[in-house]
């Protein structure tokens, strides 16, 4: 059946690991196979009452094909924790990018203040929380049709013509080209077909939401087929900027994807693919949330500083969704590339070659002071990336052995040109006028009593600008392999190995100029003005580099207790490549860069996992359970500096981190008229040892504690420790408990002479609180929240579908992230999650 033909609908709403039971002799490698098989496996043949793969009545469990081990097989027969989401379920729930996908996959975490500063984590691990640093690897790999995407910014784009998505948990280095220590998101798109098929979909909703998708596929000759897909999404913003009189946090996405499949023989096929996506949103901003006391002097905290310049935020209720950011905001984002995938059945196995080039062009503008005052007038770090990958692997499947052996090469070049500039309000905000008395409301604190008149002169810092130039050359090569040895029909052992080489060469230069355009150098005569300016921007030039070999391995044992019950256990010794600091490093008392901070050590990862996968009641019920523990030494943490421009943030190694927990997936389908699922995760992710972490804001901003001195109490003006011991604290961004759940019911119906079924569906998610700062702060805990999404509509067997939907139906107020304002003033800004949205969708096959 065509991949666009309507599924039996349970397939589009289930999120769990379901089963087929392909014989190993049928296992083949490649995204085009799973795209076809996944669609047919979740489709029902009404006339014969059988699924397209395997046999069984329509009210039996759904069969889901995955390529987690680089060959087609049942997700229930893969001895690792994996979640599978069908393309139709993505559409039905409005999960059109990774950010929304986290609502239906509890172990996935997604945080994004803008496309570049985006993190995708699994089980709390992957990328350090905070500003992105190009000098380290991502712990969660994102693959689209076997092509690795090095920049996590790709996760912010709309999914385009997706067949299904697999979320794999745990290290994947012995099966995937690029080493990933926390997991992988394996996206399979629909492939060209030799039968004509097509689909079109249009959605409209509140906030001027408009989305259109279309795809068409068919033969050009007996050996050549093509497929073309397009997607467009636009929506008005959800935050109103009173300064620019403009709605921000909008959506404006356009994506194109084209593919050619040449199949000259039954044993050889070649797929050429190209894609291009662009975002041009009014983004990305924040709103005032609150203030919290720091250890700065009272006249240097937010309330006094704001009063001194007659400033007040437009609202102190974040969910009024009003801001007054005065700098330009932009999130121009382009991403795309081309690939050639060759599959050749050679002897008893399949040889696959994947050659790819990808680019990323990022043009941002931000307001990094989070206020309507002209403190930071420009903050932008546009960058351009090119990456090249080559993967070659051989898959073999036999009665006693299955194996995958591969080689992978990767090269990436990133160039960045940064501009950071201060405005007229910066002097009074950043320089202490010298009076320690309480500043009366409305008073500037300047006058004859001000000891430091530089604070009272806007020209001191107005126009001060830093130009940052940096590049990164990142090279990686690997040999990897994995063998599945079937000792008996029930017992399988599976060892895997990886040999990896990484090399990173970087360059960072910061040049500083005053408002008159004169360059400020560290050498030469000193003055009070120059000292004040260098406290904001310090010139720096470094050329960090890193290279290393690494050997890693894993070992898995699985046993089929019965044909429908699988137990497994895994141990993996993995690593995450060392990195270099690409945004500058700390300086010593003479403003010289501390070169020892230019590189960070590789992470050493040990992962333990055990699980059970079960099917009952003729596969109408599926229940999977896994427990895991991951220990990391030399965890790569993001350390933020409290000043505006000294450092955007740099990398450092924490001593040790541990993530452990439990995950469960449950689904039931008693008949073709009803299905339900519940997925949950308990994640205990903590710093086991981090004794020199950056302090939270309530312990920051005061005079640094000298030897033998005792720091002041949290939030009390006075002494601050140079760093803090956060050992035992929870990692940022991780909820201890997270759940997703849903159900769908349908009844036969005839509307306007069309026979079909009417249906209603519900999808919900719950997560408990999480920290939104690298070091947990009382001011930045995001409260837990729950979201509810509903849909109701009518569909036909021919593929016509019309439905209405409501997302965040109960208009839950929640934050996606909270941000600590720069300068230790106590300002906390935030990004509210989407309010209630509703709309209608019409789609049809043709």
């Amino acid at each position: 059946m065509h991949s666009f033909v309507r599924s039996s609908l349970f397939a589009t709403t289930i999120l769990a690991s379901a089963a087929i039971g392909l014989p190993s002799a049928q296992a083949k490698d490649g995204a085009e196979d799973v795209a076809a098989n996944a669609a047919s496996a979740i489709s029902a043949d009404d006339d014969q009452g059988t699924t397209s793969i395997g046999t069984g009545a329509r009210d039996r469990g759904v069969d889901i094909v995955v390529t987690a081990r680089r060959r087609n097989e049942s997700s229930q027969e893969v001895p690792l924790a994996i979640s599978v989401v069908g393309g139709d379920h993505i559409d039905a729930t409005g999960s059109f990018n990774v950010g929304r996908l986290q609502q239906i996959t509890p172990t996935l975490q997604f945080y994004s203040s803008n496309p570049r500063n985006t993190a995708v984590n699994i089980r709390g691990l992957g990328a350090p929380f905070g500003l992105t640093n190009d000098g380290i690897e991502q712990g969660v790999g994102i693959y689209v049709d076997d092509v690795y995407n090095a920049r996590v910014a790709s996760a912010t784009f709309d999914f385009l013509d997706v067949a299904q998505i697999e979320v794999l948990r745990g290290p994947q280095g012995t099966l995937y080209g690029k080493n990933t220590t926390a997991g992988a998101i394996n996206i399979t798109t629909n492939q060209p077909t030799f039968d004509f098929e097509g689909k079109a979909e249009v959605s409209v909703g509140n906030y001027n939401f408009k989305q259109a998708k279309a795809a068409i596929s068919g033969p050009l000759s007996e050996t050549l087929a093509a497929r073309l897909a397009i997607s467009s999404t636009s929506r008005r913003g959800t935050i109103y900027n009173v300064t620019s009189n403009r709605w921000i946090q909008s959506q404006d996405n356009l994506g194109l994807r084209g593919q050619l499949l040449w199949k000259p023989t039954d044993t050889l096929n070649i797929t050429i693919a190209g894609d291009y996506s662009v975002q041009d949103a009014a983004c990305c901003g924040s709103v005032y949330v609150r203030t919290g006391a720091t250890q700065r002097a009272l006249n240097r905290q937010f309330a006094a500083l704001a009063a001194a310049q007659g400033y007040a935020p437009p609202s102190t209720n974040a969910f009024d969704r009003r801001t007054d950011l005065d700098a330009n905001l932009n999130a121009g984002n382009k991403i795309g590339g081309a690939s050639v995938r060759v599959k050749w059945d050679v002897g008893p196995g399949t040889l696959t070659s994947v050659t790819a080039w990808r680019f990323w062009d990022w043009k941002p503008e931000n307001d990094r002071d989070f206020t309507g005052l002209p403190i930071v007038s420009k903050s932008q770090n546009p960058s351009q990336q090119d990456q090249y990958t080559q993967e070659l692997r051989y898959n073999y499947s036999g009665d006693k052995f299955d194996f995958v052996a591969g080689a992978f090469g990767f090269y990436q070049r990133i160039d960045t040109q940064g501009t950071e500039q201060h405005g007229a309000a910066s002097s009074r905000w950043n320089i202490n006028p010298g009076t320690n008395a309480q500043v009366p409301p409305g008073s500037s604190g300047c006058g004859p009593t001000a000891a430091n008149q530089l604070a009272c002169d806007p020209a001191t810092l107005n126009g001060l600008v830093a130009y940052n130039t940096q590049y990164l050359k990142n090279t990686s090569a690997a040999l990897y392999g994995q063998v599945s040895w079937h000792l008996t029909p029930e017992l399988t052992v599976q060892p895997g190995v990886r040999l990896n080489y990484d090399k990173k060469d970087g360059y960072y230069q910061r040049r500083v100029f005053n408002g008159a355009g004169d360059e400020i150098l560290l050498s030469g005569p000193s003055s009070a003005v120059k000292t004040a300016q260098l406290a904001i921007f310090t010139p720096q030039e470094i050329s960090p580099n890193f290279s290393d070999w690494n050997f890693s391995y894993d070992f898995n044992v699985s046993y089929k207790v019965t044909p429908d019950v699988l137990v497994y256990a895994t141990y993996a010794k993995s690593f995450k490549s060392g990195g270099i600091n690409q945004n500058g490093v700390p300086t010593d008392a003479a403003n010289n860069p501390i070169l020892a901070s230019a590189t960070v050590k590789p992470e050493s990862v040990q992962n333990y996992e055990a699980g059970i996968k079960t099917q009952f009641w003729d596969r109408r019920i599926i229940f999977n359970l896994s427990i895991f523990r991951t220990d990391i030494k030399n965890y790569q943490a993001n350390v933020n500096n409290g000043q505006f421009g000294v450092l955007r943030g740099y990398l450092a190694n924490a001593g040790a981190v541990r993530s452990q927990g439990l995950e469960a997936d449950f689904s039931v389908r008693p008949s073709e008229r009803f299905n339900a699922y519940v997925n949950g995760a308990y994640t205990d992710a903590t710093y086991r040892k981090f004794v020199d972490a950056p302090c939270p804001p309530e312990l920051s901003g005061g005079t640094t504690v000298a030897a033998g001195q005792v720091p002041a109490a949290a939030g009390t003006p006075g002494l601050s420790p140079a760093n803090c011991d956060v050992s035992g604290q929870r990692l940022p961004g991780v909820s201890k408990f997270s759940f997703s759940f849903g159900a769908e019911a349908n009844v036969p119906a005839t509307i306007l002479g069309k026979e079909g079924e009417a249906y209603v569906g519900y999808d919900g998610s719950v997560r408990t609180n999480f920290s939104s700062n690298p070091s947990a702060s009382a001011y930045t805990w995001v409260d837990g929240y729950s979201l509810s999404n509903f849909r109701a509509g009518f569909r036909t067997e021919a593929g016509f579908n019309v439905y209405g939907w409501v997302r965040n139906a109960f208009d839950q107020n929640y934050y996606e992230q909270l941000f600590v304002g720069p300068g230790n003033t106590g300002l906390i800004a935030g990004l509210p999650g989407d309010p209630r949205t509703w709309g209608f969708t019409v789609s049809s096959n043709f």
Side-chain angles (χ1 to χ4, degrees), residues 296 299-300 305-306 308-309 311 326 367-369 371-378 420-433 444 446 452-466 512-515 529 531-537 642-646 822-823 825:
R296 268 191 150 194
N299 73 317
R300 306 300 299 145
L305 290 169
Q309 302 202 49
Y311 172 75
D326 60 318
D367 192 327
R368 290 199 66 233
D369 60 50
T371 73
L373 288 169
I375 303 169
V376 178
S377 56
K378 287 185 180 179
E420 297 174 79
Q421 183 171 318
H422 278 229
S426 180
S427 298
R428 181 60 185 86
W429 194 271
N430 288 297
I431 303 174
N432 191 343
S444 68
C446 291
N452 189 350
Q453 291 295 328
L454 295 178
C456 305
D457 183 2
T460 304
L461 298 181
N462 189 22
L464 181 70
V465 61
V512 181
F513 296 82
N514 61 26
V529 172
T531 299
Q533 293 170 338
L534 288 176
I536 301 298
F537 293 137
Q643 293 178 272
F644 282 106
V646 176
T825 67

Side-chain angles (χ1 to χ4, degrees), residues 205-546:
N206 62 339
Y207 294 95
N208 294 327
F209 175 77
K210 303 179 186 69
Q211 187 174 70
K213 302 178 183 179
I216 188 169
S217 180
L220 301 179
S221 71
E222 291 185 354
T223 59
L224 189 65
R227 187 178 195 93
L228 180 65
I230 185 171
S231 173
S232 174
T233 302
S234 64
R235 192 190 71 177
R236 194 203 76 187
T238 56
I239 297 174
Y240 187 69
N241 189 335
V242 301
T243 299
S244 63
N245 294 318
R246 186 181 186 188
W247 290 95
I248 64 172
Q249 307 304 107
S250 64
Q251 295 175 358
D252 189 357
N253 304 341
L254 176 66
L256 298 166
R257 184 177 183 85
Q259 298 177 84
L260 282 174
L261 170 62
W262 182 43
K263 196 169 184 178
T265 70
D266 291 338
T267 61
L268 176 66
N269 61 69
I270 300 172
T271 303
I272 301 173
D275 67 280
Y276 176 81
S277 296
V278 59
Q279 291 176 330
D280 190 19
C283 186
C284 298
S286 60
V287 298
Y288 172 94
V289 174
R290 60 171 299 180
T291 59
T294 72
Q295 291 190 350
R296 268 191 150 194
L298 292 178
N299 73 317
R300 306 300 299 145
Q301 298 198 32
F302 182 84
L305 290 169
Q309 302 202 49
Y311 172 75
S315 174
T316 56
N317 179 359
F319 296 103
D320 285 343
R321 301 178 186 273
R322 293 167 64 84
T323 191
D324 61 349
L325 303 178
D326 60 318
N328 290 334
L329 298 178
N330 186 39
N333 201 13
K334 297 177 182 179
I335 198 165
S339 65
V340 178
R341 183 175 58 221
V342 179
K343 286 187 57 184
W344 183 22
D345 292 339
V346 180
T350 300
L351 181 67
T352 301
S353 170
V354 182
T355 306
W357 161 73
R358 298 204 61 75
F359 76 89
W360 179 49
D361 189 0
W362 168 234
K363 295 183 178 179
E365 293 180 283
N366 303 295
D367 192 327
R368 290 199 66 233
D369 60 50
F370 303 141
T371 73
L373 288 169
I375 303 169
V376 178
S377 56
K378 287 185 180 179
S379 179
Q380 51 201 50
N381 281 271
S383 64
Q384 306 82 40
Q385 174 201 289
D386 285 283
Q387 73 161 63
Y388 304 87
T389 56
Q390 173 63 58
E391 184 169 8
L392 189 68
R393 65 176 181 267
Y394 186 77
N395 287 62
Y396 167 82
S397 294
D399 294 334
K400 284 291 185 180
F401 293 94
D402 303 325
F403 72 82
V404 177
F408 179 76
F410 170 84
Y411 177 78
Q412 175 189 43
R413 168 82 187 223
I414 303 177
D415 290 278
T416 302
Q417 312 83 34
T419 302
E420 297 174 79
Q421 183 171 318
H422 278 229
S426 180
S427 298
R428 181 60 185 86
W429 194 271
N430 288 297
I431 303 174
N432 191 343
T435 175
N436 291 318
Q438 280 280 19
V439 178
S443 171
S444 68
C446 291
T449 61
N452 189 350
Q453 291 295 328
L454 295 178
C456 305
D457 183 2
T460 304
L461 298 181
N462 189 22
L464 181 70
V465 61
Y467 297 109
N468 307 319
T469 301
Q470 56 182 285
Y471 69 74
L472 169 70
K473 299 176 182 178
N474 186 1
T475 304
S476 179
L479 298 174
Y480 64 90
Q482 190 179 91
V483 177
S484 297
W485 182 15
H486 310 296
L487 296 174
T488 71
E490 296 80 23
L491 178 63
T492 300
V493 296
Q494 181 178 283
V497 296
R498 180 185 185 90
L499 179 64
N500 203 94
Y501 173 75
D502 287 287
K503 180 177 174 61
K504 295 180 175 69
D505 292 300
Y507 175 77
Y508 174 84
Q509 180 193 62
R510 165 171 281 184
R511 300 179 66 189
V512 181
F513 296 82
N514 61 26
D518 300 321
E519 186 169 8
I520 303 174
L521 303 175
L522 291 176
S523 59
S526 183
S527 68
V529 172
K530 180 178 177 179
T531 299
Q533 293 170 338
L534 288 176
I536 301 298
F537 293 137
T538 304
Q540 188 173 120
E541 185 172 5
I542 59 173
S543 298
N545 61 80
F546 170 88

Side-chain angles (χ1 to χ4, degrees), residues 126-140:
F129 195 89
L131 294 173
T132 295
N133 193 310
D134 293 326
I136 61 168
E137 308 290 338
Q138 303 297 322
V140 176

Side-chain angles (χ1 to χ4, degrees), residues 97-103 105-133 136-143 148-157 159 165-170 179-187 576 603 632 635-636 731-734 767 817:
N97 59 31
V98 174
R100 296 197 174 203
L101 185 65
Q102 71 168 340
Q103 294 183 17
T105 50
T107 55
L108 183 69
Q109 295 94 34
F110 176 90
Y111 309 100
S112 179
S113 57
N114 62 44
R116 182 176 187 268
N117 291 311
T118 296
V120 177
N121 287 355
I122 293 175
R123 296 172 173 172
L125 305 174
F129 195 89
L131 294 173
T132 295
N133 193 310
I136 61 168
E137 308 290 338
Q138 303 297 322
V140 176
I142 299 177
Y143 293 85
Y148 174 70
N149 286 250
R151 297 309 311 161
V152 75
S154 61
T156 66
F157 282 97
F159 296 140
I165 298 174
E166 304 162 18
V167 180
L168 289 66
R169 282 101 79 177
N179 186 55
T180 55
T181 57
I185 299 174
N186 189 25
I187 300 172
K576 184 176 173 184
E603 291 183 355
I632 301 178
Y635 177 78
Q636 295 168 357
L731 288 180
V734 185
R767 66 180 302 183
Q817 279 185 267

